[in-house]
Amino acid sequence: MSDPARRLPTRASMSSGSDRVFQYLILALASVIVLVFVVSLYLLGVDSWPALRQFGVDFFTTRTWNPVSGTFGAAAMITGTLVTSFVALIISVPLAIASALFVAEYAPRWLANPVGYLIELLAAIPSVVYGLWALFVIAPVLSRWEQGYFASPEKIAIYTACKNIWDQDRTTLQCFFVPSAFDGRGLALAIIILTVMILPYTASVARDVIRLVPADQREAMYALGATKWEVISRAILPYARAGIMGGVILALGRALGETLAVAMVIGDSQDIIKSIFGGASTMASVIANQFGDAQETLHRSSVVTLGFILFFVSVAVNLLARVIIQRLTPKGVK
Amino acid sequence: MSTATSARPQVRTGLSAARRAQNMMMGGLILLATLLVVAPLILIFVYLIREGIDAVNLDFFTKIPAPEGETGGGLLNAILGSLYMLAMSSVFGVLVGIAGGIFLAEYPRHPLMPSIRLVSDVLAGIPAIVMGLVAYGLIVLNFGFSGFAGAVALGFLMIPIVVRTTEEVLKLVPQAVREAGLSLGLPQWLVTLRIVLPAAAGGIITGVMLALARVAGEAAPLLFTAFGNPNVNLDPSKPMSALPLEIYRGATSAYDENQRMAKAGALLLIVLIFVTSLLARRFSRKV
C-alpha cells in the first residue's frame, strides 16, 4: 500500500482540477449505493420498531400469528423459510454439481455450450412464471397422489389418528409425511419449485470454477491411471470446493428470499408445520400475501419486521460466503 | 485424504471391473442429473406455448384486460407499464450502476473503495420483496402507489448487477490503453470517459441488458409500489401495471380467462427475457 501512495502526489499535482471534480462526481454517484443500503436499514428499522417493542425476543419464538387478536410471533414463518430453503438446497446441490460436471467435463463442446446456456436460462425465468407452472402443472399431480392416498380404509385410519395429533398442535415423524391437504399446494410443492429455481445458481458457479481447475491437476491424476470419476472426485472437486461452496451459499441466499413462486404454492398457513403436504408459509410469502391487507400498525409493523429479518439474514449469508470461500480456497489458488 | 491412499492406482494393464463399473455408473448418474436439471426449462416452455399461444393475438397487444368473468381483452396496460417502469428504472439504475463500476475499477486505491464494493455485493443479495418494502416506506407512504415507486424499487435491484458487470468489464481494459491516453496529456477523467468506457461499451451494454432481463420479471417489489392498474396509465405518479404483476394476479385468480391471460403473459415475458439475454450474449461476443 505504501508504494502507490508515494506515487500519488506527483500524479495529483500533474492532473488538472477537472480530475478532482470528476472523481467527486463519480464518488457521489457511487455513494448512492451506500445510501440505498443505509436508507433501507433505517426505513425497515423504523417500521418494524412498533412490533419489536411490543413483542421483543418473543417475536422470534412465539408460534401464534393472529391479526385478529393482535398477537404476532414469527416462529412458524422462520421455520418455514429455513425448512424450505435447506431441504431445497440439499436436493439441488448434488444435481447442480452433476450438471456442472457434465457441462465442464463430460459433454463435447457442441453439446456443452447449449446445455450450459439452457441452465443459465433457467435462472432467467421469473419467479411468477415458476409459480404459475407449479400451480397449474405440478400441483394437480401432487393433488392426485394426495387424493389417492385415501383410497384404502387403513390409510384413512392413519389420517384420522394424525388429525387428532395435529389438532393438539403436535406432530409425529409418521404423521409428518401424511397428506393433510388435497389441493397439491403446501410445503412439499414449495420445496419442489424452490429446488428447481435455485439449481441454476449453484450449477453455473460450479461450472465456472470447475473449468478453472488447471489441466495439470487432471493430467497428474490421469497419469496415475485414474478413471474419469476418480479424477473428478479426488482431483477436481476438492480443488474447486471453495468456489462451489460459494455457489451453494449464493443459492441459499436466493432460496431464503424467494417470494412469489413460494407464496403462490405454499398454501399460506401461519400454523407451525405439521405435515410436509400441509399449508405453511415463509417470511417472504407472508410479506407478499399480507402486507397489502395489513391495516393495523402492529400487523403492518410485524410484516415489515419479517422483511427486516430477511434483510439481516441475506447480509449475513453474503458475509458468510466470503469467509467460507477464503477458508476453503486451497493454498496457491487465486 | 485417506480414501485416496486406500484406492491408490496400481501398476496394472487394465482397470478392475469394480472401478470400471463405478466410473460408468457415475457418468450415467451425471448425465441423468443433467437431464433432470434441464427438464423443467423445456417443460415450462412447452407448457406455456401450448396453453398460452392462442391468447397471443392482436387483442393481446392492443386491449386492456376484460372485466372479471368476461372473455377477451389483452394486456396492453401491463406491457406498456412494464416498458415504462423499466425505462424509468434504468435511468436511475444504469447511471448509479455505471458510476459505481467506474469508481470500483478506476479508483482502486480510494479509501472508500472496499466499503462501497462490500455494500454493493451485499445489496445484490437482498431479496427483491424487501426492496419493495423499502420503496414503499420511501415513496408510497409519502406519495401513494405509483409507477415511479415501482421504478425506484426496480432501480435498486438493477444497481448492484450493473455495478458488478461494469467493474469486471472495465478491469479487462488493458492498463496500457489508459497509459497511452495519459501520456498524450489527457486528464484522467477524459481517459475514463473517452477511452476506457468506449472500449468497454459492449460489455457494459451486456450487463445493462442482463440487469433489465433480471428485473423485468420481478413482481414481488411491485406489489406494494406500482400496485397494478386495469387501465393503461402513462402517468408515473399513478398506479401502473406490469407483466409479472398481471401474471401473478391471473395465475392466482379463479377465472379461466384470467388464467389464460396469465399464461399468455408468461409466454411473452419469458420470450422477451430469453431474447434479451441471447442478444446480450451476442453483443458481448462480438465486441
Side-chain angles (χ1 to χ4, degrees):
Chain A
M1 285 314 282
S2 64
D3 244 4
R6 228 179 296 137
R7 254 189 281 131
L8 261 181
T10 49
R11 221 171 79 186
S13 57
M14 278 168 67
S15 66
S16 53
S18 54
D19 262 352
R20 213 158 308 143
V21 175
F22 182 73
Q23 185 177 345
Y24 283 130
L25 187 71
I26 288 289
L27 181 60
L29 283 171
S31 304
V32 172
I33 301 167
V34 181
L35 193 68
V36 169
F37 185 82
V38 173
V39 165
S40 306
L41 199 63
Y42 171 76
L43 285 174
L44 292 171
V46 166
D47 286 348
S48 48
W49 178 239
L52 285 174
R53 192 184 45 196
Q54 175 97 17
F55 303 115
V57 186
D58 288 350
F59 186 80
F60 299 88
T61 53
T62 310
R63 286 175 173 198
T64 328
W65 179 276
N66 189 342
V68 180
S69 68
T71 318
F72 297 98
M77 293 115 224
I78 294 173
T79 327
T81 299
L82 292 177
V83 169
T84 48
S85 302
F86 279 97
V87 176
L89 202 64
I90 290 167
I91 306 173
S92 76
V93 164
L95 290 171
I97 294 177
S99 72
L101 284 172
F102 180 79
V103 171
E105 298 292 320
Y106 282 87
R109 211 181 159 69
W110 60 266
L111 188 61
N113 283 338
V115 171
Y117 185 53
L118 285 182
I119 293 173
E120 267 169 38
L121 283 186
L122 214 48
I125 296 180
S127 184
V128 267
V129 177
Y130 275 114
L132 182 148
W133 182 67
L135 212 50
F136 290 142
V137 179
I138 311 181
V141 177
L142 262 179
S143 169
R144 219 170 302 142
W145 178 83
E146 283 165 3
Q147 283 162 5
Y149 184 88
F150 298 97
S152 70
E154 60 210 89
K155 292 278 170 67
I156 295 174
I158 296 176
Y159 171 77
T160 325
C162 284
K163 184 88 175 66
N164 281 329
I165 296 176
W166 290 331
D167 286 345
Q168 294 161 29
D169 220 21
R170 294 187 298 121
T171 190
T172 61
L173 188 62
Q174 191 198 11
C175 289
F176 192 70
F177 293 98
V178 170
S180 62
F182 316 100
D183 60 353
R185 282 191 280 180
L187 190 65
L189 186 55
I191 290 173
I192 293 173
I193 201 63
L194 211 45
T195 305
V196 175
M197 293 180 75
I198 61 176
L199 267 172
Y201 295 105
T202 317
S204 44
V205 174
R207 180 199 60 194
D208 289 346
V209 291
I210 288 170
R211 276 190 177 153
L212 285 178
V213 174
D216 295 357
Q217 186 84 1
R218 297 182 179 85
E219 283 155 10
M221 191 83 192
Y222 277 126
L224 294 173
T227 62
K228 184 155 197 151
W229 170 246
E230 285 163 351
V231 171
I232 287 170
S233 61
R234 307 224 174 99
I236 294 176
L237 289 181
Y239 194 91
R241 64 175 186 250
I244 293 176
M245 206 55 206
V248 172
I249 304 276
L250 177 71
L252 175 66
R254 292 276 163 210
L256 291 169
E258 193 47 64
T259 310
L260 279 186
V262 173
M264 287 160 88
V265 303
I266 200 167
D268 195 30
S269 152
Q270 274 81 55
D271 275 348
I272 198 93
I273 301 164
K274 291 172 204 146
S275 160
I276 194 164
F277 299 104
S281 58
T282 66
M283 290 190 273
S285 81
V286 169
I287 302 175
N289 284 327
Q290 295 194 2
F291 187 73
D293 305 326
Q295 296 300 329
E296 297 128 69
T297 317
L298 201 58
H299 188 189
R300 175 153 282 191
S301 170
S302 301
V303 176
V304 176
T305 306
L306 296 176
F308 204 27
I309 299 173
L310 273 181
F311 184 90
F312 273 111
V313 168
S314 55
V315 172
V317 164
N318 195 298
L319 298 179
L320 179 75
R322 288 159 179 272
V323 175
I324 288 182
I325 290 174
Q326 260 171 19
R327 284 272 168 81
L328 282 183
T329 305
K331 295 207 171 57
V333 181
K334 213 188 90 197
Chain B
M1 282 273 124
S2 60
T3 46
T5 44
S6 65
R8 182 189 298 142
Q10 290 159 7
V11 182
R12 209 189 290 176
T13 45
L15 293 173
S16 74
R19 286 175 62 206
R20 199 185 301 251
Q22 184 199 38
N23 190 36
M24 295 276 283
M25 197 183 74
M26 292 318 289
L29 281 179
I30 284 171
L31 179 65
L32 196 72
T34 310
L35 289 176
L36 261 177
V37 170
V38 182
L41 178 80
I42 293 155
L43 290 176
I44 290 174
F45 204 58
V46 169
Y47 175 77
L48 289 181
I49 287 180
R50 225 180 43 203
E51 299 273 321
I53 197 91
D54 289 344
V56 183
N57 48 31
L58 194 63
D59 278 1
F60 181 76
F61 294 101
T62 55
K63 291 201 173 147
I64 59 171
E68 296 257 293
E70 289 179 29
T71 56
L75 289 180
L76 180 66
N77 59 336
I79 297 169
L80 288 180
S82 265
L83 292 177
Y84 200 124
M85 280 194 280
L86 285 175
M88 273 195 288
S89 64
S90 27
V91 171
F92 169 62
V94 169
L95 185 69
V96 174
I98 293 184
I102 292 177
F103 181 72
L104 295 185
E106 303 294 309
Y107 300 96
R109 276 169 275 157
H110 197 285
L112 286 178
M113 201 285 280
S115 31
I116 288 186
R117 159 154 332 120
L118 179 71
V119 171
S120 172
D121 275 1
V122 165
L123 218 51
I126 290 174
I129 186 122
V130 177
M131 281 304 165
L133 287 178
V134 170
Y136 177 89
L138 195 63
I139 294 165
V140 178
L141 273 186
N142 302 317
F143 305 105
F145 295 113
S146 61
F148 179 71
V152 167
L154 296 182
F156 285 171
L157 295 174
M158 280 182 79
I159 291 174
I161 311 177
V162 179
V163 168
R164 188 171 296 172
T165 41
T166 305
E167 185 198 359
E168 278 170 14
V169 178
L170 289 182
K171 280 188 172 162
L172 289 180
V173 176
Q175 206 56 37
V177 173
R178 293 184 182 84
E179 284 158 6
L182 291 171
S183 70
L184 293 174
L186 285 178
Q188 206 194 347
W189 67 280
L190 268 181
V191 171
T192 305
L193 281 187
R194 302 296 284 278
I195 299 177
V196 180
L197 272 189
I204 294 176
I205 291 173
T206 303
V208 170
M209 286 169 81
L210 288 178
L212 278 174
R214 166 77 209 291
V215 301
E218 288 287 359
L222 300 181
L223 282 175
F224 338 112
T225 51
F227 194 71
N229 191 333
N231 297 305
V232 171
N233 167 37
L234 295 177
D235 176 357
S237 67
K238 301 259 164 59
M240 216 178 247
S241 191
L243 268 177
L245 271 182
E246 290 293 335
I247 297 169
Y248 177 59
R249 301 252 154 89
T252 48
S253 151
Y255 293 101
D256 279 352
E257 186 61 19
N258 294 6
Q259 296 184 357
R260 209 167 68 96
M261 275 298 145
K263 289 167 192 168
L267 180 63
L268 176 68
L269 185 61
I270 66 169
V271 166
L272 285 178
I273 289 174
F274 286 2
V275 167
T276 310
S277 36
L278 250 177
L279 282 178
R281 262 193 151 207
R282 268 287 142 74
F283 217 99
S284 67
R285 208 176 293 159
K286 217 187 281 173
V287 177

